[in-house]
Amino acid sequence: MEKPVVVYEPFRAGLPPMREYLRSLWSRRTFIAAFSRSELREQNFDSLFGQLWLVLNPLLLSGVYFLLIDVIGGKSDSSRFAHLTASLFLFYLIANSLTGGVKAITSGQRLILNTSFPRIMLPISAAIVALFRFLPTLVVYIVIHVLLGLPFSWQMLWALPIIVIAIVLSLGLAILISCINVYFRDISSMLPYLTRSLLYLSPILYEAAHMSHRIKKFEVANPIFYLLDSWSRVMVHGEAPTSKGLLTSSIWALGIFVVGTYFFLSRERDFAVRL
Amino acid sequence: MISLSDFNHDHSQHSVAVSVKNLGLTYTTSIDRKPTLKARLKTLGRGKKHTRIVRALVDINVDVHYGTVLGIIGSNGAGKSSLMRVISGIVPPTQGRVEVYGSVSTLLALGVGFNPSMTGRDNVYLGGLAAGMSREEIDKNFEAIAAFSELGDAIDTPMRTYSSGMFARLAFSVAAVVEPDILIIDEALSTGDAKFKEKSLNRIKELRTSDRALILVSHALATIEDICNEVIWLDHGKLMARGNPAEVIAAYREFVDARKSASSDEDV
Ligand SMILES: Nc1ncnc2c1ncn2[C@@H]1O[C@H](COP(=O)(O)OP(=O)(O)OP(=O)(O)O)[C@@H](O)[C@H]1O
Ligand SMILES: [Mg+2]
């Protein structure tokens, strides 16, 4: 028998054979790319106005918040606006992978019931879509940074590892939430409240440096707090991130990625009968 | 890895492609609504589960050998599609074991992976990649796919503008260029006009070679009798008969007629 043999046996919770799984995922990489591209196309990413809207939406939001803070707080400067914009853009990467990921499995029903492929592909491509929506906003931020006359420094290269951490986190979140939504379908309707709370609990409308220590203690529990804090330090102020910030955000990102992937992989063979 | 039971059949000169042993499949679905956190919290204390259990397949034993074309017949809800899903690894079995020797390609539903807002051309790639082809393979076969579908210029218009027959044509054309060891087709022939149906039937006939196994699910009994050399009949998840196409189909027809006349008697 030179033909490969595949055996299907009753489902038990547990990881599939990892090496084969990764191999089949790797062999599907072009499908992941094409699938993500078609999703982006669906969201009019390829048209100029589609891209403009992507940038305009968080930009308008940061404009509104800036006005609000200006009116309420009274004191504001140009770095305040830069902080708001940079943080919102990164926050949207996380939020978009959550909103894209939550429906990744449940809306892929037709695909899942009729073809066999590594299901993790679907939340991965949701995260890829979120990433591709994030990249143009990065360019816009640089332009704003220049226009506001904020300084550039070599420390800004720290942005690269921070983006890597953010990508791992958004992958992990997309995978985790797509899996949870199979079992609890109301998560998708709760999600807007969840992201909204996350927005207010994170250093976006305010800067972490201005928080009282009593409250800041609890922020270790917010997966994106130190990520956003490090991001703002690096991108807006051109400073190096704190090692505590880098460490905490990496641990959160890796933790969510590992837990999410474990849950997903050990349950995914069960998805088809639950859709 | 050939077990003794495999030699009981006429096809013992060929090797096994798919071996299904004591297969059982049970779907557990919630009756009223989708599973939600709210519903789970509500029923937490009571421990009562609102689930319906469907035994879609009960103790099925089948061997499919290379070189055969196996037809699967049975009334609606008999478990035909469920059996195909287990063999292609989409749904894990509840009991038993399925062994598959070779690469499988499935055509369980037409046009899975297609995105209606994209053009036919883009969807050939999307659908082909979803079916497990590589980009190079699709590049190589693109002309053949387009020609087979006979869509002409329509291939460059978005698929949402297609009629359902055009959709089916393109979907079948993509699936038809895949050359797997084991090909599973579930009712994919029932769409398209008479001419295209004929053409796709011919394509399936071309695919009948001694080093390939075809599994065909259809309600078109005449077609099954024409192209298959072995037929199994499923009813309510059970294997009712298997063997020579003419005999099994005759038995199935008799069974259906008997049920029909019994129920029409009741009406009187
Ligand atoms: N995803 C699912 N969840 C729950 N029950 C299902 C699911 N899919 C199929 N069933 C049930 O399993 C049984 C067999 O269904 P299946 O689709 O295999 O029938 P079939 O023989 O293909 O019928 P048809 O000729 O109509 O295509 C049916 O009773 C059906 O209700
Ligand atoms: Mg069916």
Side-chain angles (χ1 to χ4, degrees), chain B residues 27 29 54 56 75-82 85 187 219:
Chain B
Y27 288 107
T29 43
V54 182
S75 41
N76 293 129
K80 304 181 295 296
S81 300
S82 302
R85 288 198 179 120
E187 288 178 69
H219 291 287

Side-chain angles (χ1 to χ4, degrees), chain A residues 76-97:
Chain A
S76 57
D77 49 31
S78 56
S79 80
R80 192 71 186 262
F81 182 67
H83 166 79
L84 248 174
T85 317
S87 307
L88 269 177
F89 283 164
L90 189 68
F91 176 79
Y92 264 78
L93 168 63
I94 306 291
N96 282 338
S97 38

Side-chain angles (χ1 to χ4, degrees), chain A residues 1 3-11 27-28 30-31 34-35 37-39 41-42 110-117 119 181-187 190 269-270 272-275, chain B residues 15 27 34-38 40 66 85-102 106 108-113 115 117-118 122 126 129-130 132 135 181:
Chain A
M1 270 281 146
K3 298 256 198 296
V5 50
V6 189
V7 177
Y8 301 114
E9 284 184 315
F11 165 74
S27 70
R28 295 284 179 147
T30 34
F31 182 38
F35 190 78
R37 204 173 303 132
S38 78
E39 286 290 301
R41 177 83 51 94
E42 194 113 289
R110 226 174 103 71
L111 206 55
I112 287 176
L113 278 179
N114 295 303
T115 34
S116 90
F117 60 91
R119 312 304 190 202
N181 192 49
V182 173
Y183 296 92
F184 305 113
R185 301 292 166 91
D186 43 356
I187 294 296
M190 276 155 56
R269 279 155 297 162
D270 188 35
V273 292
R274 290 184 178 273
L275 287 176
Chain B
S15 52
Y27 288 107
K34 303 221 150 114
T36 58
L37 188 59
K38 201 168 126 196
R40 177 64 74 86
Y66 277 107
R85 288 198 179 120
V86 176
I87 292 176
S88 46
I90 294 165
V91 176
T94 319
Q95 279 153 26
R97 182 181 167 89
V98 175
E99 289 166 14
V100 178
Y101 301 86
T106 51
L108 297 190
L110 281 173
V112 278
N115 183 334
S117 64
M118 297 175 79
D122 290 337
L126 209 53
L129 290 169
R135 188 166 278 277
D181 300 327

Side-chain angles (χ1 to χ4, degrees), chain A residues 98-214:
Chain A
L98 275 172
T99 41
V102 73
K103 290 250 163 91
I105 296 298
T106 46
S107 69
Q109 185 179 23
R110 226 174 103 71
L111 206 55
I112 287 176
L113 278 179
N114 295 303
T115 34
S116 90
F117 60 91
R119 312 304 190 202
I120 205 165
M121 222 199 79
L122 295 173
I124 286 179
S125 81
I128 290 177
V129 168
L131 179 66
F132 271 89
R133 299 176 57 165
F134 167 69
L135 292 178
T137 64
L138 210 54
V139 179
V140 171
Y141 174 73
I142 301 291
V143 172
I144 291 176
H145 195 88
V146 172
L147 288 180
L148 291 176
L150 291 170
F152 281 89
S153 82
W154 285 110
Q155 303 292 354
M156 287 176 86
L157 286 180
W158 279 104
L160 292 175
I162 294 175
I163 289 178
V164 171
I165 297 173
I167 290 172
V168 173
L169 181 67
S170 61
L171 261 177
L173 285 172
I175 292 168
L176 182 65
I177 201 158
S178 69
C179 179
I180 294 176
N181 192 49
V182 173
Y183 296 92
F184 305 113
R185 301 292 166 91
D186 43 356
I187 294 296
S188 60
S189 43
M190 276 155 56
L191 191 64
Y193 304 100
L194 214 97
T195 48
R196 187 48 56 95
S197 325
L198 208 56
L199 173 71
Y200 294 139
L201 290 173
S202 307
I204 297 169
L205 305 184
Y206 45 87
E207 289 197 37
H210 300 156
M211 288 176 76
S212 76
H213 276 286
R214 212 152 43 86

